[in-house]
Amino acid sequence: MKLIKAPCGLHCIKIVDFGVRFGEEVLFENVNLHVHCGTLTVLIGPNGAGKSTLVRAILDDVTHSGHVEFKDRENGHLQKIRIGYVPQKLNIEKNTPVSVFDMMACYHSKVPVFIYKSPRMKKRILEALSLFEAEDLIDQQVCNLSGGQLQRVLLAMAVMDKPNLLLLDEPISGIDANGSLLFYKTIDELKRKFDMAIVLISHDLPYVAKYADQVVLMDHGVVASGKVGQVFHSPEFQRIFGRGGSEE
C-alpha cells in the first residue's frame, strides 16, 4: 500500500440524499454526508436508528434512494470509488479447512488459490496483515481464530485493495479493552498515512470522543453532525444518551 505523506483533506466523497424504506415504513431519508479523505467519521445513535442500514445502502446491498459522489481524477479521468468493508460479525463453521491466506487470496484473486499460490499474492497479504500486527496468522485456520484475531484479519482483507472509503460496522463488538485500543490506534494511523476516508459505526463513546474527526448522530435520519464537541453537547445527544453519555 502506497504511503501518502500529507492527506489531501478534500471533500472527496459525498453521500447524497440517501433514503431507505421497507414497504410503507421510512427508516431514514435525506441523509447527506461529506466524508473527507484522511479522516474518521463515526456514526453513533440508538439501536435501530439506521446506522448499519446506511452502510449497507452505501454498499448497494439494500434498495435506496440517493447516490454516492466520488470526485478523484487520474490522468484526467474520473476514477471509480473503491470501498472496503468489515462487518460486525462473520459466521464461520467449525472445522472449515480454510486458512487466512486462502480466504484473503480468494477474495482478491480470480485465480483458484488451491491450484496456484503466487509469491506476489503472499507478499501482498503479509503486508496487509502487518498493518494490524497479524502476520503470524497467515497459515492459521480461520475457524480457529479468536474474535480479536478475526477482526484484524478482516481489516487487513478490507484494506488490501487500497480503498478510497473504508466502512466498518462495529467490527470490535465483543473485543476486550486492549483490543479496542489497538483497533482505534490502527485506524488513526490508517487514515493519516494512507489518506483513507473511514466511516465507523461505534457505541464506544469515550473512544469516539478521542479519535473521531466527525461525528454523525442518527435516529432514523441525521439529527446532529459535526465535531465531537458540537454533537456531544447538542440537545439531540442529551435526549438519546443522557448527560452520562450512555444509551437509554
Side-chain angles (χ1 to χ4, degrees):
M1 184 178 293
K2 183 179 179 181
L3 179 66
I4 305 294
K5 292 185 179 180
C8 72
L10 300 177
H11 290 177
C12 53
I13 301 167
K14 294 182 181 180
I15 310 302
V16 182
D17 293 332
F18 261 52
V20 172
R21 65 168 59 228
F22 298 113
E24 296 299 318
E25 177 188 0
V26 177
L27 184 58
F28 58 79
E29 58 186 356
N30 300 323
V31 171
N32 291 275
L33 302 175
H34 286 181
V35 184
H36 300 245
C37 44
T39 63
L40 172 62
T41 298
V42 182
L43 305 182
I44 63 174
N47 292 329
K51 304 182 296 295
S52 293
T53 303
L54 175 60
V55 167
R56 292 177 59 205
I58 295 171
L59 291 166
D60 281 333
D61 285 346
V62 296
T63 302
H64 63 87
S65 58
H67 62 280
V68 177
E69 291 183 1
F70 176 62
K71 297 180 179 179
D72 185 39
R73 292 181 180 271
E74 185 175 317
N75 299 324
H77 300 285
L78 284 172
Q79 301 299 298
K80 182 178 179 181
I81 189 170
R82 297 186 302 277
I83 300 178
Y85 171 60
V86 178
Q88 184 176 6
K89 295 180 180 179
L90 182 65
N91 295 320
I92 299 173
E93 294 185 7
K94 293 182 179 180
N95 301 318
T96 302
V98 176
S99 70
V100 168
F101 173 87
D102 294 335
M103 181 176 71
M104 294 181 69
C106 283
Y107 185 77
H108 290 280
S109 176
K110 296 180 181 179
V111 178
V113 178
F114 299 106
I115 298 176
Y116 176 62
K117 292 194 175 184
S118 164
R120 180 180 297 179
M121 175 63 72
K122 184 172 183 179
K123 181 180 178 181
R124 285 186 61 205
I125 290 173
L126 283 171
E127 287 177 349
L129 288 171
S130 70
L131 294 173
F132 304 94
E133 301 179 11
E135 309 99 300
D136 59 322
L137 301 177
I138 189 168
D139 294 318
Q140 297 292 316
Q141 286 192 337
V142 177
C143 63
N144 293 330
L145 299 180
S146 68
Q149 289 173 329
L150 180 59
Q151 173 246 344
R152 286 184 285 155
V153 168
L154 292 177
L155 282 166
M157 190 162 67
V159 304
M160 266 185 67
D161 282 340
K162 307 174 187 176
N164 310 109
L165 175 63
L166 179 61
L167 301 174
L168 307 171
D169 187 356
E170 293 189 72
I172 57 172
S173 178
I175 303 301
D176 62 23
N178 289 335
S180 295
L181 180 59
L182 174 61
F183 167 80
Y184 279 96
K185 285 183 175 180
T186 304
I187 291 302
D188 191 61
E189 187 175 359
L190 278 178
K191 70 167 190 180
R192 289 185 293 103
K193 286 189 175 181
F194 304 114
D195 204 25
M196 192 179 295
I198 303 174
V199 174
L200 166 70
I201 297 175
S202 178
H203 293 281
D204 299 320
L205 297 183
Y207 285 113
V208 173
K210 183 174 181 179
Y211 289 100
D213 298 293
Q214 177 181 210
V215 179
V216 177
L217 175 57
M218 291 190 66
D219 190 10
H220 301 286
V222 175
V223 296
S225 66
K227 298 293 185 180
V228 172
Q230 292 175 299
V231 174
F232 278 35
H233 291 94
S234 67
E236 294 82 4
F237 183 92
Q238 300 299 324
R239 172 180 61 83
I240 293 171
F241 294 104
R243 293 187 179 277
S246 60
E247 293 184 45
E248 298 175 346

